[in-house]
Amino acid sequence: MDISAFKEAMERGGMRVLGTGAFGVVDGYPLMAVYAGAASLRVTVAMGPQEWRLRKAELKTELRKFGPVAWAGDRLVVSFRARRMTDGYRQAVLPLARTLKDLGIAIDDTCPVCGRGGCEAAAPYGQAYRPVHRACLESALAGTKESAAENRQNGSYLSGIAGAILGGIVGVIPSLLTVIAVDTVYAILFALVPLCAYYGYKLFKGKMDRTALICSIVMGILSVYILNFSGIGYILIEDYGMTFGRMLQAMPAFLGDISVWGEITRSSITQFIFAAIGIFLVWGAISRTAAGEVANAESVLAMSMPLRPENRSEDAREEDRPDGE
């Protein structure tokens, strides 16, 4: 089954397709199906910890026939073996929904936005397709648009850049502490720098456009120099007995020496690679813009549909029936 066959099958079943994912309410269960390659199809259903604890044994027993089963804290994920599938909807999504129905699995219709029950719609939320109040989605979209408009009008590049610098410096501290403690740098810690820079930019009310991403990337690269110059400052205090004030007075000599910059650059190739890895790891977070947040909220609303089966169209319900029924 290729991606085009996946999309076609899901749309025939009345599901809404976005990228490699499909969302729909099948036999009363909000389900999310994700194309994970020609050999795998993951189907996710929102499930609370109490329901999972009560039904864990029988769920694993009944669903193991489809493929590996995993619970991710607030959702159940079933990975179907899809290599020989021709219709992902009828061979994966629909059988899973009917198995859940046969087992009498309860759907928690508590809205993740307001925390109240009585949901009448389902929408993508927190890596699953969940019951939600449509009014809550509309309110969230309106709030996101209002925040974006306010940021466009009152946001400041200058204050945002200042926040990114401060955030980036804070993000370097864990790496500096590990160098001091165990004389080792860890790639994962470099991810904190662009992340802290991004949130520093946002906290200081910078304009949330591509400038936030640029500042985060720049601070991710500069973190290598910040870390090394901080290490020099630590050596001056620890090995040469300088006070903190004397160290600050001595640092401009190092900062103004181009040969020191050159030596740090030549000797820190591994750290630059770690910085690049860190930027890659948090790219999804640091690339968010105000316009992107609005687009995401609009997409969530557009992908919502009625939760109750009786609210679905007759054509969509007809598609749920296997051939011959």
Side-chain angles (χ1 to χ4, degrees), residues 199-241:
Y199 283 107
Y201 183 97
K202 187 174 183 178
L203 181 64
F204 278 60
K205 300 189 182 304
K207 283 188 180 292
M208 294 306 296
D209 52 22
R210 287 295 178 184
T211 305
L213 173 62
I214 293 171
C215 287
S216 301
I217 293 173
V218 170
M219 288 307 302
I221 297 171
L222 290 180
S223 67
V224 175
Y225 296 103
I226 296 172
L227 177 61
N228 280 274
F229 279 115
S230 298
I232 291 173
Y234 175 78
I235 290 172
L236 292 177
I237 293 174
E238 185 70 14
D239 294 351
Y240 292 88

Side-chain angles (χ1 to χ4, degrees), residues 277-296:
I277 293 173
I279 292 170
F280 172 77
L281 289 175
V282 298
W283 184 269
I286 66 176
S287 60
R288 293 200 299 264
T289 64
E293 295 288 349
V294 171
N296 287 340

Side-chain angles (χ1 to χ4, degrees), residues 10-265:
M10 296 302 158
E11 288 174 346
R12 280 201 312 269
M15 300 184 76
R16 295 181 179 172
V17 176
L18 180 65
T20 58
F23 309 88
V25 179
V26 185
D27 270 2
Y29 291 90
L31 299 177
M32 177 179 74
V34 176
Y35 180 81
S40 181
L41 172 62
R42 292 197 301 270
V43 184
T44 300
V45 58
M47 183 175 293
Q50 183 175 2
E51 184 73 5
W52 170 249
R53 284 195 298 267
L54 290 173
R55 312 298 297 275
K56 176 180 178 180
E58 58 184 321
L59 278 168
K60 283 191 170 184
T61 300
E62 290 296 325
L63 299 180
R64 193 177 293 123
K65 61 188 177 187
F66 298 130
V69 178
W71 186 68
D74 62 351
R75 60 195 185 276
L76 182 68
V77 183
V78 182
S79 298
F80 286 78
R81 304 174 185 91
R83 189 176 301 278
R84 297 182 181 179
M85 279 188 185
T86 57
D87 188 326
Y89 179 79
R90 291 180 181 274
Q91 294 174 284
V93 175
L94 186 54
L96 174 60
R98 292 192 166 171
T99 300
L100 295 173
K101 189 173 184 178
D102 290 342
L103 291 174
I105 300 300
I107 292 296
D108 181 5
D109 72 343
T110 302
C111 177
V113 180
C114 69
R116 296 192 295 269
C119 296
E120 82 291 349
Y125 196 98
Q127 300 184 56
Y129 202 55
R130 302 178 186 278
V132 67
H133 297 121
R134 184 174 176 83
C136 289
L137 297 180
E138 293 171 345
S139 177
L141 174 57
T144 302
K145 286 183 175 179
E146 184 178 345
S147 296
E150 195 277 336
N151 181 260
R152 283 195 303 271
Q153 182 176 351
N154 300 318
S156 167
Y157 289 121
L158 187 60
S159 63
I161 291 171
I165 293 172
L166 290 175
I169 291 173
V170 170
V172 170
I173 292 175
S175 292
L176 177 62
L177 293 177
T178 59
V179 169
I180 292 173
V182 295
D183 195 27
T184 304
V185 291
Y186 296 96
I188 191 65
L189 292 181
F190 277 84
L192 292 175
V193 179
L195 196 61
C196 289
Y198 174 84
Y199 283 107
Y201 183 97
K202 187 174 183 178
L203 181 64
F204 278 60
K205 300 189 182 304
K207 283 188 180 292
M208 294 306 296
D209 52 22
R210 287 295 178 184
T211 305
L213 173 62
I214 293 171
C215 287
S216 301
I217 293 173
V218 170
M219 288 307 302
I221 297 171
L222 290 180
S223 67
V224 175
Y225 296 103
I226 296 172
L227 177 61
N228 280 274
F229 279 115
S230 298
I232 291 173
Y234 175 78
I235 290 172
L236 292 177
I237 293 174
E238 185 70 14
D239 294 351
Y240 292 88
M242 288 188 179
T243 63
F244 184 77
R246 288 282 306 277
M247 180 273 291
L248 291 179
Q249 292 177 350
M251 282 305 297
F254 293 96
L255 292 169
D257 189 340
I258 192 66
S259 65
V260 175
W261 287 82
E263 179 57 32
I264 290 175
T265 303

